[in-house]
């Protein structure tokens, strides 16, 4: 939601054409200390990706789109996705999690990207009543 200008702790996910859904107010728990390292990209940084270390397993507690409590057990790509999207809700981009050397290279690539420095899109406020739940 924050990526599209909506001030709510919610995201949707779709992984490998098999797992998709909505997660509202996620709280993450990590059942093990195991980590995975692999390429990660982001719609906020189009066309660029770097290897990023994440936990290998995650258990996410939250609500679905109907407000019902849900628990999602994620491994591999789903674990990476849930951590990545929850980071967005906390104002963190995956480049913030890169090691120092990789992060320097990433920031240089971002500065040199064709889209770098372009005027940011205008976020339009909803004409519908949000009852204080959005911008």
């Amino acid at each position: 939601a924050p990526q599209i200008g909506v001030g709510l702790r919610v995201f949707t996910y779709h992984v490998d054409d098999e797992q998709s859904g909505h997660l509202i107010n996620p709280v993450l728990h990590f059942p093990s200390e195991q980590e995975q390292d692999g390429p990660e990209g982001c719609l906020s940084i189009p066309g660029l990706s770097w290897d990023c270390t994440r936990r290998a397993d995650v258990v996410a507690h939250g609500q679905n789109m109907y407000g019902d409590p849900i628990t999602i057990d994620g491994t591999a790509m789903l674990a990476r996705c849930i951590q990545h999207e929850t980071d967005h809700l906390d104002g963190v981009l995956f480049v913030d999690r890169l090691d120092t050397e990789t992060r320097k290279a990433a920031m240089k690539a971002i500065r040199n990207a064709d889209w770098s420095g372009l005027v940011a899109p205008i976020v339009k406020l909803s004409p519908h009543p949000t009852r204080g739940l959005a911008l």
Side-chain angles (χ1 to χ4, degrees), residues 16-39:
D16 297 332
D17 291 331
E18 295 175 16
Q19 300 163 314
S20 62
H22 306 81
L23 188 55
I24 301 168
N25 296 326
V27 176
L28 305 186
H29 300 280
F30 302 100
S32 77
E33 296 290 322
Q34 286 186 313
E35 294 182 331
Q36 59 171 308
D37 192 46

Side-chain angles (χ1 to χ4, degrees), residues 5-8 125-126 128-135:
V6 177
L8 298 174
L125 298 179
S126 172
H128 307 287
T130 61
R131 295 176 281 293
L133 298 176
L135 296 174

Side-chain angles (χ1 to χ4, degrees), residues 1-22:
Q3 284 182 292
I4 60 169
V6 177
L8 298 174
R9 289 186 57 77
V10 60
F11 64 84
T12 62
Y13 61 94
H14 181 83
V15 177
D16 297 332
D17 291 331
E18 295 175 16
Q19 300 163 314
S20 62
H22 306 81

